[in-house]
Amino acid sequence: GLQVSSQRMRNRRKEIACRGDIERLTHCFLSIYESLIPPDEEKEKQKQLLASLEKLVNKEWPRAQLFLYGSCANTFGVSNSDIDVCMTLDDDGTSKSDILLKLAEILESDNLQNVQALTRARVPIVKLMDPVTKISCDICINNVLALVNTKLLRDYAQIDVRLRQLAFIVKYWAKSRGVNETYHGTLSSYAYVLMCIHFLQSRRPAILPCLQGMKATYVVKIDNVDYGYFDKVEELRDFGAVNNESIGFLLWAFFDYWAYCHDYANDVISVRTAGIISKREKDWTRRIGNDRHLICIEDPFEVNHDLGRVVDKYSIKILREEFERAADVLQYDPNPSVKLFEPY
Ligand code: CTP
Ligand code: MG
């Protein structure tokens, strides 16, 4: 029953094709993409800040190391973003809160600005702003999985440039339209990038492979669990070449999928398997605590983690209306490259 009706929903709009002037749109979107890429000097500044922060923390913790993660390291970051840093250090039983409070004290006495320890957040961090470069920075402790998922995203981006192009435009759209705010019940940048990867894995012919479904050439052990995938992406450089869909078309098809084709009642998207998993199979059918599962995006490594869990019954409506608006603008509007990003 359910299977049939979701299949019917997927077929419902088969007859609708994208507009005729899609190549013109592709040009517009590619120039927006180019303008969002951070210049090399900015990357250089970030690295220098990281090195000087590492020197500073090594006075207290000689074996500690600092790593960039998130958008400044996964190649999905636009110009002038804040940077995400993870400090790794040996576990000597000291609580994360105590480490963060000590870290905040050290940073403050070195004249870093706006230093603030957020010890009770889901991911506890210290925030700071470097007065020299004006770069803002969040530092977390021993969040090794975030380093691994950062590498996964970076590796996917190297396989086909259309992923980075699509994700830049989708993130830019989400920020312009106010639907990239997890504290207001909409989705994180990380969730949007996973949606883009899943979407490109599902094209026929596929534009991206399923790296976690291939022989693992990179494996990390965290708390005795192995996390691995195929990371020799230079061998996959022309994987998507048999599919020549343009970025204008893909952007329309992405929003059309989330507006009219995704089965919100039954489906979980999964980059790990390059497919759809049923909510029933994951036991994500009812609300448990604050997890509502109104839009389901499986984390590639923490498989019990639904990136859609921040979405509530009000924000799901806003999100779906925004997907529909974007799909309709791309289908019918005479000037979609302006209308799509109109401030809300
Ligand atoms: N992350 C995670 N689980 C989440 C959210 C984020 O593991 N539920 C990690 C991921 O490694 C992600 C990083 O935190 O790459 C930063 O995620 P996010 O804040 O969503 O944003 P960025 O990718 O940094 O994008 P931007 O800052 O450009 O919006
Ligand atoms: Mg970030």
Side-chain angles (χ1 to χ4, degrees):
L2 279 177
Q3 211 92 45
V4 174
S5 75
S6 71
Q7 191 57 43
R8 197 176 299 137
M9 198 163 95
R10 282 189 200 110
N11 291 339
R12 186 165 59 93
R13 283 175 47 98
K14 237 184 194 157
E15 73 283 4
I16 297 184
C18 192
R19 58 200 287 149
D21 61 345
I22 201 70
E23 292 318 310
R24 184 179 65 84
L25 280 195
T26 293
H27 278 283
C28 289
F29 291 128
L30 285 181
S31 56
I32 294 173
Y33 160 72
E34 300 286 344
S35 71
L36 294 169
I37 296 177
D40 290 343
E41 307 91 80
E42 193 180 316
K43 296 268 116 192
E44 210 40 58
K45 270 194 208 163
Q46 294 176 349
K47 282 197 199 119
Q48 280 166 12
L49 175 59
L50 188 76
S52 68
L53 289 173
E54 190 171 74
K55 237 174 111 185
L56 182 63
V57 301
N58 282 158
K59 290 181 193 163
E60 175 74 25
W61 298 284
R63 286 162 54 83
Q65 284 182 286
L66 297 190
F67 298 93
L68 292 173
Y69 74 102
S71 67
C72 55
N74 64 20
T75 71
F76 293 99
V78 302
S79 218
N80 300 315
S81 303
D82 298 351
I83 65 171
D84 300 302
V85 174
C86 174
M87 172 160 105
T88 59
L89 78 179
D90 303 328
D91 189 352
D92 66 355
T94 314
S95 74
K96 275 193 187 177
S97 300
D98 287 345
I99 297 168
L100 287 169
L101 291 169
K102 180 76 201 165
L103 178 60
E105 195 186 304
I106 294 168
L107 296 166
E108 193 125 57
S109 60
D110 197 62
N111 290 322
L112 288 147
Q113 288 174 2
N114 308 345
V115 177
Q116 211 184 343
L118 305 181
T119 54
R120 286 199 293 214
R122 193 182 67 84
V123 178
I125 52 168
V126 174
K127 290 179 146 319
L128 65 96
M129 203 272 283
D130 171 39
V132 182
T133 57
K134 307 277 180 228
I135 296 174
S136 293
C137 171
D138 293 350
I139 307 180
C140 67
I141 310 287
N142 285 344
N143 191 0
V144 185
L145 266 183
L147 298 177
V148 180
N149 67 39
T150 293
K151 176 174 156 59
L152 181 74
L153 267 50
R154 184 171 65 233
D155 285 337
Y156 268 116
Q158 287 182 58
I159 298 170
D160 195 294
V161 69
R162 286 172 289 184
L163 170 60
R164 196 173 177 222
Q165 294 166 341
L166 179 68
F168 265 55
I169 305 289
V170 168
K171 277 177 65 178
Y172 183 50
W173 162 83
K175 286 182 205 290
S176 314
R177 300 296 302 167
V179 287
N180 180 207
E181 295 172 34
T182 47
Y183 47 91
H184 286 149
T186 55
L187 299 169
S188 66
S189 297
Y190 178 58
Y192 282 113
V193 175
L194 292 173
M195 288 158 80
C196 291
I197 296 173
H198 174 262
F199 172 73
L200 296 180
Q201 287 175 326
S202 326
R203 302 309 297 164
R204 292 294 171 263
I207 293 177
L208 290 178
C210 178
L211 294 178
Q212 291 172 275
M214 299 163 69
K215 183 174 80 89
T217 51
Y218 166 83
V219 183
V220 202
K221 202 186 266 299
I222 304 169
D223 297 334
N224 265 325
V225 180
D226 281 340
Y227 297 92
Y229 64 92
F230 183 80
D231 78 332
K232 302 220 173 307
V233 285
E234 56 291 344
E235 293 171 19
L236 297 169
R237 275 293 157 68
D238 34 298
F239 181 91
V242 283
N243 179 319
N244 59 12
E245 288 168 334
S246 69
I247 204 64
F249 175 81
L250 289 168
L251 192 65
W252 166 76
F254 175 86
F255 286 120
D256 189 67
Y257 172 76
W258 286 102
Y260 303 112
C261 306
H262 180 70
D263 184 348
Y264 287 82
N266 300 298
D267 289 355
V268 176
I269 65 153
S270 162
V271 163
R272 178 178 58 94
T273 59
I276 300 275
I277 300 178
S278 77
K279 282 197 195 181
R280 212 170 336 124
E281 192 179 318
K282 297 203 65 104
D283 200 20
W284 283 358
T285 49
R286 60 219 141 75
R287 173 174 171 173
I288 298 178
N290 272 330
D291 292 11
R292 296 174 183 87
H293 308 302
L294 301 174
I295 173 173
C296 296
I297 303 158
E298 180 192 66
D299 186 276
F301 298 112
E302 284 177 279
V303 297
N304 291 324
H305 190 171
D306 174 9
L307 279 320
R309 69 181 183 184
V310 291
V311 176
D312 60 38
K313 62 180 178 180
Y314 303 104
S315 58
I316 187 67
K317 209 163 153 277
I318 292 169
L319 260 179
R320 293 186 65 170
E321 280 167 10
E322 284 297 331
F323 291 140
E324 285 169 33
R325 177 187 181 276
D328 295 349
V329 163
L330 286 167
Q331 181 120 35
Y332 303 111
D333 196 88
N335 203 358
S337 61
V338 174
K339 188 81 171 190
L340 190 62
F341 310 108
E342 224 164 56
Y344 59 107

